[in-house]
Amino acid sequence: MTKILVLAEHDNNSLSGATLSVTKAAEMLGDEIDLICTTSNISNLEAEISTLTSVKKVHVFEDKIFENEIAENTVDCLIAVSDDYDYFLASSSTSGKNIMPRFAGLMDIQQISEVIEVVDGSTFKKPIYAGACIATVKTEQSRNVLTIRTTSFDKTSTDGGSAEFVKHDLPANNTNKPTFVKNELTVSDRPELTSADIVVSGGRGMQNSDNFKLLEGIATKLNAAIGASRAAVDSGFAPNDYQVGQTGKSVAPNLYVAVGISGAIQHLAGMKDSKTIVAINKDEEAPIFKVADYGLVADLFEALPELESKL
Amino acid sequence: MKILIPIKRVNDYNVKVRPNQANTDVDLSNVKMAVNPFCEIALEEAIRLKEGGNATEIIAVSVGDEKNQEQLRTALALGADRAILVKTDKALQPLDVSKVLVKVYEKESPNLVIMGKVGIDGDHNQTGQMFSALTNLPQITFASKVELNGNDVEVTREIDGGLETLSSSLPAVITTDLRLNEPRYASLPNIMKAKRKPLEELTVEELGVEVKPTVTTLKVESPPEREEGVKVENVDVLVEKLKNEAKVI
Ligand SMILES: Cc1cc2nc3c(=O)[nH]c(=O)nc-3n(C[C@H](O)[C@H](O)[C@H](O)COP(=O)(O)OP(=O)(O)OC[C@H]3O[C@@H](n4cnc5c(N)ncnc54)[C@H](O)[C@@H]3O)c2cc1C
Ligand SMILES: Nc1ncnc2c1ncn2[C@@H]1O[C@H](COP(=O)(O)O)[C@@H](O)[C@H]1O
């Protein structure tokens, strides 16, 4: 029987939507799906995890060392419960990318990253070259580690399940690891970028961080998340976690509005699967218009206030 | 202090790579090749540490065929002191590369290993984490700031929620994100000088690593093209289309 272990991603308060998409991908591999959850407080997460209909068992490692994510700590726990499983899945978030290859290395498994389609149990599709090509790859390994691009999968049913929660002691180990110093997390009342229905992104064309705020009124009216190009982040208009693209986040909202963004392939890599794309750019030759369903050739400093007032 | 910089040879990031005619692989026959941008950033960081008096030697290492010499010469021109090419003609996966790098690590015993977070070719984002696991060195990925204090390093990482700072004793493995620094260009005199810097060649067999691809590529295709949309005359038309045609607002 094929057994699949999914890494539960969360912030110790609530489960990440990514885990729902990864569980959906797991369902395409088999129906023995278990979760592993390393957390400082399982009681915060238990109710939410219990809603996942397809999950059979949850391996719980609860300790204050999981207040902040140190890949080494999570991987020690993954190894401890790894014996029975054929597949190990996490999302291709920064967390999944940090943890899973480390685990795969210790298991002597070649990982397959950024899976966008499960063709069958050993065949997967994944983007390569910043999404310029899609590769179909086949694994000859009997056990596999996959990271899942969550925008390519629906969310699993959360109508209620009957998962059994199994608590484990922390595994003994002598792993060398870094220590946590601090974090600066972006707080925002807006929807989360990777799961928002609408994303409004600004690029270098916004010119400075004050102008970047022109996007806020529109985002508020549309209940949208705000994103940015690399150039906008590098120039300090927006924080790093706003970056959409090859090295930032992958998004696929119903509506993506690109303002003052030229449409470099590395940016397109993160947003071209959006359902409807709008581009506002004063350069009618800008490559972003090639992927835009609706292109408005205009000066953004005129178009944005008008757009805000007409929404 | 010695720093080891693994360098990957990849397509120039400005080039749009396409599938070959038979759709069996990508077509790199006429594509300009370069040092992976994230490896350039790793090397730049090492050079700055050396310029700041915090490092004494920078060793660039690449695993792959003879052509990787070009990228190692670039690394030498930028500021690496010497280079190692571990040769193989076989297709490499991150797990193979990390096993080879472990052997090089054992030979050289560097105090710090800085790698790119991802190769822009395969989009794997694996080698640094695997290498760190196999050497049992502390792993710090996606660095946007590196500060060395004696035998400790403090690193700010770019994560999905914002920024995180970790600290570690050395030796350690760091992988670089884009905002860590802006790499310099090699000057002509340095390009000339690089020709005389040592470039050692080894083979994967000599290092006792068996390269065995366990994941093979069956097919490479272009992604589905988006149909080119329409230009709208003004904001009113845009709003109308979004409401009534696309029905997204
Ligand atoms: C390895 C690597 C990884 C990368 N990863 C990413 C990534 O993840 N995400 C990403 O975004 N980029 C990434 N990049 C960078 C990418 O190549 C581009 O440099 C970047 O996307 C450009 O950002 P931009 O479109 O905002 O800026 P520009 O290319 O400078 O475009 C600005 C646009 O604004 C328009 N404009 C200017 N003024 C106005 C105005 N008043 N009104 C209307 N329009 C105006 C201009 O016509 C222009 O089209 C990466 C690059 C590399 C090498
Ligand atoms: N063939 C290689 N030779 C040397 N270093 C490599 C090689 N492949 C990958 N690396 C290193 O691993 C990083 C991540 O690559 P990847 O895991 O392929 O995305 C690169 O930026 C390099 O630092």
Side-chain angles (χ1 to χ4, degrees):
Chain A
M1 195 166 29
T2 308
K3 293 195 68 175
I4 304 136
L5 185 63
V6 170
L7 177 69
E9 292 173 55
H10 58 79
D11 60 3
N12 284 314
N13 286 312
S14 60
L15 193 65
S16 154
T19 301
L20 304 184
S21 304
V22 177
T23 304
K24 186 76 187 182
E27 287 162 19
M28 297 170 186
L29 297 163
D31 40 47
E32 283 297 309
I33 301 170
D34 296 347
L35 242 58
I36 175 172
C37 183
T38 60
T39 174
S40 59
N41 191 341
I42 187 66
S43 58
N44 285 351
L45 300 165
E46 200 161 340
E48 210 178 346
I49 292 177
S50 299
T51 62
L52 272 67
T53 315
S54 58
V55 172
K56 299 279 192 310
K57 195 197 290 181
V58 185
H59 296 287
V60 178
F61 292 84
E62 188 179 30
D63 193 282
K64 63 177 184 327
I65 65 165
F66 299 118
E67 254 162 41
N68 296 291
E69 179 193 290
I70 301 288
E72 285 83 344
N73 290 335
T74 314
V75 169
D76 287 336
C77 299
L78 271 163
I79 297 274
V81 298
S82 62
D83 271 0
D84 294 344
Y85 295 97
D86 306 287
Y87 295 94
F88 303 88
L89 270 62
S91 84
S92 50
S93 61
T94 49
S95 179
K97 283 174 173 160
N98 193 29
I99 292 166
M100 295 316 267
R102 179 177 185 87
F103 169 70
L106 291 174
M107 297 285 287
D108 200 27
I109 297 173
Q110 174 52 55
Q111 171 178 306
I112 303 173
S113 302
E114 306 262 359
V115 170
I116 56 167
E117 189 182 325
V118 175
V119 180
D120 61 42
S122 60
T123 318
F124 308 95
K125 289 193 182 184
K126 61 155 300 185
I128 53 175
Y129 294 87
C133 297
I134 306 293
T136 306
V137 298
K138 188 171 178 68
T139 170
E140 284 150 25
Q141 305 171 116
S142 55
R143 307 175 80 191
N144 287 282
V145 177
L146 314 177
T147 64
I148 303 296
R149 181 169 292 197
T150 51
T151 48
S152 300
F153 293 87
D154 293 337
K155 290 191 159 58
T156 187
S157 152
T158 48
D159 291 344
S162 52
E164 170 200 2
F165 285 71
V166 185
K167 287 208 176 183
H168 296 269
D169 291 333
L170 277 194
N173 68 72
N174 56 358
T175 313
N176 291 318
K177 56 190 158 217
T179 50
F180 176 82
V181 179
K182 62 171 184 198
N183 57 23
E184 296 155 54
L185 303 181
T186 306
V187 269
S188 162
D189 301 335
R190 298 188 193 284
E192 202 271 314
L193 184 54
T194 55
S195 55
D197 256 350
I198 301 181
V199 174
V200 181
S201 285
R204 197 196 314 270
M206 302 301 299
Q207 286 179 0
N208 57 46
S209 45
D210 275 342
N211 291 342
F212 205 84
K213 297 199 177 80
L214 286 172
L215 300 175
E216 287 180 4
I218 294 174
T220 303
K221 283 201 166 167
L222 294 173
N223 190 28
I226 298 184
S229 71
R230 175 190 171 190
V233 176
D234 284 3
S235 315
F237 308 169
N240 68 286
D241 49 304
Y242 281 36
Q243 184 174 318
V244 171
Q246 183 187 20
T247 35
K249 291 179 179 159
S250 297
V251 303
N254 275 326
L255 174 60
Y256 187 89
V257 186
V259 186
I261 293 178
S262 61
I265 179 163
Q266 295 87 1
H267 187 79
L268 301 186
M271 48 63 77
K272 73 174 162 23
D273 295 331
S274 305
K275 286 200 189 66
T276 299
I277 297 175
V278 170
I280 302 177
N281 197 305
K282 68 176 181 191
D283 171 13
E284 63 177 322
E285 302 291 324
I288 189 77
F289 287 123
K290 291 234 155 49
V291 300
D293 300 282
Y294 303 111
L296 178 63
V297 181
D299 187 323
L300 67 90
F301 296 105
E302 285 159 25
L304 287 183
E306 188 183 345
L307 181 61
E308 185 180 340
S309 72
K310 286 179 174 156
L311 285 172
Chain B
M1 189 177 89
K2 242 177 172 183
I3 308 180
L4 185 69
I5 309 288
I7 299 273
K8 190 173 202 186
R9 171 184 164 91
V10 300
N11 59 296
D12 181 317
Y13 75 90
N14 291 307
V15 179
K16 183 163 184 204
V17 173
R18 291 172 208 283
N20 65 14
Q21 284 268 299
N23 281 120
T24 52
D25 205 340
V26 289
D27 181 3
L28 292 178
S29 49
N30 290 311
V31 169
K32 179 162 172 247
M33 301 300 278
V35 174
N36 181 39
F38 293 94
C39 302
E40 278 186 334
I41 293 169
L43 178 60
E44 176 66 33
E45 198 63 18
I47 298 167
R48 291 184 190 188
L49 287 171
K50 194 178 162 197
E51 286 172 346
N54 286 314
T56 47
E57 190 181 24
I58 302 169
I59 308 158
V61 54
S62 190
V63 190
D65 66 19
E66 197 69 35
K67 293 189 188 130
N68 285 264
Q69 276 195 7
E70 288 169 30
Q71 281 62 45
L72 288 173
R73 287 287 169 210
T74 305
L76 292 168
L78 286 165
D81 296 291
R82 59 190 172 91
I84 304 170
L85 170 58
V86 187
K87 281 198 285 188
T88 176
D89 287 328
K90 294 208 182 115
L92 287 163
Q93 296 176 326
L95 187 58
D96 301 313
V97 175
S98 45
K99 287 177 186 171
V100 174
L101 293 177
V102 170
K103 297 291 181 187
V104 175
Y105 174 77
E106 288 168 356
K107 263 176 65 129
E108 296 287 347
S109 314
N111 310 72
L112 186 60
V113 183
I114 315 180
M115 318 180 48
K117 77 165 179 179
V118 64
I120 61 164
D121 51 356
D123 288 334
H124 297 301
N125 199 327
Q126 299 175 16
T127 310
Q129 296 88 317
M130 287 178 164
F131 171 81
S132 152
L134 298 177
T135 48
N136 193 18
L137 294 179
Q139 159 182 328
I140 310 182
T141 51
F142 322 147
S144 63
K145 189 169 169 203
V146 173
E147 265 177 295
L148 211 58
N149 316 304
N151 199 44
D152 284 322
V153 66
E154 195 168 285
V155 181
T156 304
R157 318 174 50 227
E158 295 204 352
I159 58 173
D160 285 340
L163 297 169
E164 177 182 73
T165 306
L166 300 180
S167 151
S168 169
S169 59
L170 298 180
V173 181
I174 297 172
T175 78
T176 61
D177 219 314
L178 283 175
R179 274 172 285 278
L180 180 56
N181 59 49
E182 258 185 67
R184 69 196 65 194
Y185 294 97
S187 68
L188 198 58
N190 285 343
I191 294 172
M192 300 311 289
K193 262 193 257 167
K195 293 189 176 144
R196 293 190 303 273
K197 287 189 179 175
L199 196 165
E200 181 187 358
E201 293 200 2
L202 302 166
T203 63
V204 295
E205 291 79 15
E206 276 174 84
L207 291 179
V209 180
E210 195 199 344
V211 173
K212 46 168 191 344
T214 48
V215 177
T216 48
T217 301
L218 299 182
K219 196 157 70 176
V220 174
E221 301 158 289
S222 294
E225 286 275 331
R226 277 190 89 93
E227 261 181 58
E228 195 165 337
V230 294
K231 294 254 170 65
V232 292
E233 305 83 88
N234 54 42
V235 172
D236 288 317
V237 182
L238 177 63
V239 172
E240 189 273 321
K241 296 252 191 208
L242 290 178
K243 278 192 177 139
N244 302 322
E245 197 174 83
K247 299 190 168 59
V248 284
I249 59 171

